Amino acid sequence: MMIISSTRNSRSSLNNLDVLSVLVYAILVIWGIMSIYSASYNVENPKPFWDFNTFAGKQFVFAMTAVGLIILVFLLDYRLFEGFAYIFYFLSVLLLIAVVLFGKVVKGQQNWIQIGPISMQPTEFAKLGVSLALAKFLGTPSSKLTDRKVWLGIVVIFIVPALLILKQGDYGSLMVFVLLELALYREGMPFWIIGLQVLAVILFVLSLLIKPVYLAFGLFFVFSFIVGILLLTRRKMERRDWLIMIVSLVLAIAFVISVPKIFTKLKKYHQERIIVLFDEEAVDKKAGAYYNLQQSKIAIGSGGVWGKGYLEGTQTKYDFVPEQHSDFIFCTVGEEFGWVGSFLVILLFMILLFRIVIIAERQKSRFARIYGYCVASIFFAHFTFNLSMTVGLFPTIGIPLPFMSYGGSSLWSFTLMLFILLKLDTHRNRLFGSY
Amino acid sequence: MEGERGSEKRFVFYAIFGFVGLTLLIRLFVMQVIEDKYQESAEANAIQKQTVYPDRGLIFDRNGKLIVYNEPVYDLMVIPREARLPDTMAFCKLFGISKQEFIEKIRAIRAVAPEGVFFSQLSKVDFAKVQEKLSDFPGFYVSRRTVRVYTSNAMANALGYIAEISPEELKKDSTQYYRPGDYIGKSGIEASYEYYLRGEKGIKYQLKNRFNQVVGSYQDGKLDKPAIAGENLISSVDIELQKYGEMLMQNKTGAIVAIEPQTGEILTLITSPSYNPNLLVGAEFKKNYASISRNPDLLLFNRATQSAYPPGSTFKTVQALIGLQNGVLNDTLRLPCNWSLVKCHPHPYWTTPQTSIQYSCNPFYYQAFRRIVHQKGESFEALQEGYKQWREQVLKFGFGRKLGVDIADEGSGNVPQVERFNKIYKNNWNFSNIYSLSIGQGEMGVTLLQMANLACIIANKGYYYIPHLIKSIGKSGKPLPQYQVKHSVGIEEKYFEPIIKGMNGAFKAGTVGPMAQVVNLYAGDICAKTGTVQNSHGEDHSTFIAFAPCDKPKIAIAVYVENAGFGGIWAATIASLMMQKYLKDTTRIKIQPWQVGKIEATEKMVLDKIFNRRELLRLDSIRKAEKRKQDSIKAILRKKEQEEDIYDDNQLNPQ
């Protein structure tokens, strides 16, 4: 991936290229293609690796075009990404609208759009568009997270694509957007907002496991306990503190009690996907939720320490695992390379995530830093949700594992996200904008 | 700058990333390394471990004739979870069942197991139909099994049968060889030689996809284990002789055992009435087993090995031998036929051991047995001592204990212990309480196998091999080791001379009736002892032991016909017919043309004779019904005639 080019405008220095990230990227993409080949390998009718009609062959083509995109990114002026950030955002929103209007429905989700011979998933590109727009919006020095107008702007940036994605039924991507909060937190958003959401999730889970009445009592005792400790430590309790405590207790109890009622309003298969995590016996064994998770877990679990060997996985090879070449690609890794393989994949992602945070932090440009954190948050969200889903720690939501899952849109989108950051990183020493 | 202010927050990010990464790694470690249920599930999912059933060993008779073999049958199996028929009606039509039946059948199987037999033992026509269309019916497959086929209807109880293993048997199986649904030998040879006959199961690993279609063999069949067929057995039974004997025993209750004395090989093991072994195979097993096992004639009871018949006068040979060995009798000792001791029948008054056998003198054995048990003195203690010693000697002949024949259905018979009499008579008994044992009556019971073994002992002059039905296992060419050991009965060879002579005399000019003598090949060459056993249940039992030829015995035989009266007539005749058939078939002895007709006539008499009370009653009732029918027809005819007469009269009168 040596790009020996330099444009007049941007004096890009490839010496500044973060080689480690590129290396991890390359390994993940190649491993991904190998896994896709293995997952779609037909024992009775094996196709060669270079057959472009197979998933692996197509993914290879996607990877090659991704290399083209990388070259393009490095040829472009680095200022372009900030300058045209809103344009990217509007384009991706337009695509999302087009999906809602003309999109194909695949597996209950209307997130495909056909443009000529190419079909694509605009949702993936929307993640890039939102990241750029958010970075641009918050990147201007006047934007401070204490300003309500700024918050309004952020909400506007999020709400449009979020609603469109909600319309498509792609809840996985919606959750990815939620995790962009991490980037906001870096830029000054108070932590309690995230903390409150984590608390809500914990209460949600608890209210599914424990009878709401008991849970409400439990909450009451916990609050009393905290109050007691506060009183004992003779902290000064003002009326405002009391008010906050009582209101939050009431809200928490109301939340806990209303959860089971809201839960039953969800679609049956959504309910099952959640219940199956806690109690495998509680769902219909014939239901997809049980079968898919079970098969996925069997595939990974049967890998053992060293795995069954490349192309030797019985679980993925014989089509037991659903979506094994795309969202469930990790099953192939787990089955054929065992815990060691799983460990390596997780290690690679950890390196990448840490690296992105390090890169983001070393940016002098606010835009680049915020953008970097957005990329980190999105990769982290995909990595966490995807792997948790395959091992049964999270409900099944259809989001791909970055770089490894089959799919042109996601590969291109993730590649662009990463390499735009790396491109910006090569110019990290140049101050840009109004600093 | 703001950026600088927030930069320490990166550690929060590191912490979150690290936390998630670690959580996933631990979760994966638990799933992949610690728990192995997923491994099993994956194998169950994708690797079909198919058991390859070995062919059960064949059984041949002593002349190499096939007695038992296997025939393949095909079961239509179904995996309800995967049985999603695109066209259920087509399936139902093919097998001629209704849709309702189809649904119920599937439901019934699903309730108990993930897969099961949809149709057991398809006919060849059905199998051909299914084979062709099987690909249209996902979830259905055909499994091949074999069933036992018996070449003749004979020897059912000796061969035994196989059936599905019971839960109790499964529990007992310490080798873990059997699985539910496997077949196992339940009785007879099938049970006792199960280990040799069953062979070794093979395993075939096949890979399936999620549609349960087999997509290839796992690891190119490296792990596959071919099934090893069971060992073939060669039975010592002469199947032709067996069939002949069973034919002769038709409509009679009893048993025949013939043994080759020099080897202990059983030539025939007949119990009557019996059943057709081909009824206890395959699909009809359950139905037929129910009717066979409930039959009041006890068709599954092996009278040859499980009965406890009083041996009657045949036991006198044992008494004579013990007496001679103990020195209380000798060749020249003559004892009177004193009817005051015990009843007898007309014959010369004074008898020696030899002639006492020839004429079957009861008082002789009353006196002989008294001498034996009182040889240590006249006191009660001496009697007890003498009895104990006598009992031990009797047990050496193989009575009162299981001989150890190679089928499990064997009784031990009964020779009462001293303690038994002590208990019955409260330690106050004397010879008069036990004298009926002297002539094989009273408290003792023996199996017919033990009686045939006695004939062998006399024929061999003092030793026997444990009788056995299998003379060769697999390629070894040898029976089980315990059947290769000579057992001595502790009687010197010389004491057998008078007994054998007496038995020869009994056949030529003694208790054996003329009907049995008719089939005598050449007079004087058969040694025999008759027995007529009184019993409280009705007519005397007819029993007979013999061996032939006297000088070089080739066959020793014991016959017991219940309620057939005097031993010298029916039992003797059946035994003689059996011996002549066996000797005719195996030696160069030629039967003279003038004998053939006589033998055939005798056979016919035996065949026509009915000693089965139930059969007699049945025939009687048929006869009565016939008669009633005839009578009623006659009555109708008579009435008609009378009416016609009247009519005729009426006709006539106007004229």
Side-chain angles (χ1 to χ4, degrees), chain A residues 44 144 182 185-188 291 295 297-298 300-302 304-305 308 314-315 318-320 330 334 338-339 342-343 346 350 353-354 357-358 361 366 369 373 380 383-384 387-388 391-393 435, chain B residues 1-10 12-14 16-18 20-21 23-29 31-33 35 37-39 41-42 45-47 81 84 110 207-210 214-215 218:
Chain A
E44 288 163 278
K144 288 200 176 106
L182 288 173
Y185 161 70
R186 167 63 183 84
E187 295 307 315
Y291 180 82
Q295 295 302 340
K297 277 160 83 176
I298 289 170
I300 295 168
S302 63
V305 180
K308 298 176 187 170
T314 54
Q315 190 69 8
Y318 298 109
D319 310 338
F320 285 101
F330 186 71
W339 190 73
S342 311
F343 177 83
I346 290 169
M350 283 295 130
L353 289 170
F354 276 69
V357 170
I358 290 167
E361 282 296 340
R366 283 189 68 177
R369 185 183 71 230
Y373 269 101
F380 172 68
F383 164 79
T384 307
L387 256 59
S388 306
V391 298
L393 290 175
Y435 282 92
Chain B
M1 269 203 294
E2 259 179 82
E4 305 310 308
R5 250 192 284 139
S7 73
E8 76 282 357
K9 283 185 184 166
R10 68 175 185 272
V12 176
F13 280 79
Y14 295 158
I16 295 172
F17 295 165
V20 169
T23 308
L24 287 170
L25 276 179
I26 290 167
R27 169 75 174 184
L28 285 161
F29 188 80
M31 280 172 68
Q32 298 186 296
V33 183
E35 290 183 350
K37 67 175 180 187
Y38 296 109
Q39 218 126 353
S41 305
N45 247 348
I47 301 166
R81 186 164 59 88
R84 289 190 191 93
R110 202 207 313 255
L207 287 169
K208 305 179 296 181
N209 64 9
R210 74 192 155 102
V214 170
V215 288
Y218 181 61

Side-chain angles (χ1 to χ4, degrees), chain A residues 91-125:
Chain A
L91 275 176
S92 60
V93 170
L94 274 181
L95 279 174
L96 284 177
I97 294 168
V99 165
V100 173
L101 295 180
F102 318 111
K104 289 192 291 185
V105 179
V106 177
K107 286 179 194 131
Q109 294 183 9
Q110 187 185 26
N111 52 11
W112 287 85
I113 186 166
Q114 188 107 27
I115 301 170
I118 310 158
S119 46
M120 54 188 274
Q121 283 178 294
T123 326
E124 302 301 334
F125 295 103

Side-chain angles (χ1 to χ4, degrees), chain A residues 39-71:
Chain A
S40 52
Y41 184 81
N42 189 334
V43 182
E44 288 163 278
N45 183 17
K47 290 266 165 48
F49 202 80
W50 50 88
D51 186 334
F52 293 142
N53 288 319
T54 63
F55 285 124
K58 283 181 186 165
Q59 183 77 354
F60 181 72
V61 174
F62 295 147
M64 286 297 108
T65 43
V67 172
L69 285 175
I70 292 167
I71 294 168

Side-chain angles (χ1 to χ4, degrees), chain B residues 122-287:
Chain B
L122 295 175
S123 69
K124 281 190 177 123
V125 181
D126 275 346
F127 174 62
K129 273 198 273 185
V130 177
Q131 203 178 26
E132 208 172 284
K133 300 241 171 99
L134 208 60
S135 55
D136 296 348
F137 308 132
F140 285 85
Y141 67 95
V142 169
S143 131
R144 179 188 180 274
R145 279 198 305 121
T146 58
V147 290
R148 288 302 236 186
V149 181
Y150 303 89
T151 55
S152 75
N153 293 344
M155 214 178 151
N157 273 301
L159 288 170
Y161 59 93
I162 61 169
E164 244 181 78
I165 191 163
S166 69
E168 295 82 44
E169 285 168 321
L170 261 179
K171 235 181 246 170
K172 268 191 257 163
D173 171 35
S174 56
T175 56
Q176 304 288 309
Y177 177 87
Y178 299 96
R179 295 279 169 275
D182 281 0
Y183 277 69
I184 187 171
K186 294 273 184 179
S187 73
I189 292 169
E190 296 277 20
S192 49
Y193 287 91
E194 171 70 18
Y195 174 77
Y196 301 96
L197 287 169
R198 72 186 183 192
E200 245 175 86
K201 283 186 209 165
I203 301 168
K204 207 160 132 194
Y205 293 97
Q206 287 182 313
L207 287 169
K208 305 179 296 181
N209 64 9
R210 74 192 155 102
F211 303 112
N212 209 42
Q213 292 159 332
V214 170
V215 288
S217 66
Y218 181 61
Q219 294 197 4
D220 298 324
K222 252 183 274 167
L223 302 174
D224 291 3
K225 209 177 92 187
I228 299 168
E231 306 227 51
N232 292 345
L233 303 180
I234 297 174
S235 172
S236 56
V237 167
D238 181 331
I239 193 69
E240 293 305 321
L241 189 65
Q242 175 87 15
K243 280 197 254 180
Y244 182 69
E246 288 192 17
M247 188 181 75
L248 294 177
M249 287 299 282
Q250 72 180 28
N251 294 327
K252 298 163 194 75
T253 306
I256 306 176
V257 179
I259 303 174
E260 186 178 74
Q262 291 80 17
T263 56
E265 291 172 5
I266 297 173
L267 299 171
T268 56
L269 192 76
I270 295 163
T271 169
S272 177
S274 182
Y275 63 94
N276 179 352
N278 283 308
L279 290 175
L280 291 189
V281 289
E284 300 287 286
F285 177 89
K286 262 195 188 127
K287 201 186 84 197

Side-chain angles (χ1 to χ4, degrees), chain B residues 417-434:
Chain B
Q417 286 178 307
V418 167
E419 289 74 19
R420 172 107 188 273
F421 293 118
N422 285 344
K423 207 176 155 198
I424 297 172
Y425 301 109
K426 301 195 173 67
N427 286 323
N428 182 21
W429 53 279
N430 55 41
F431 185 72
S432 68
N433 297 111
I434 61 166

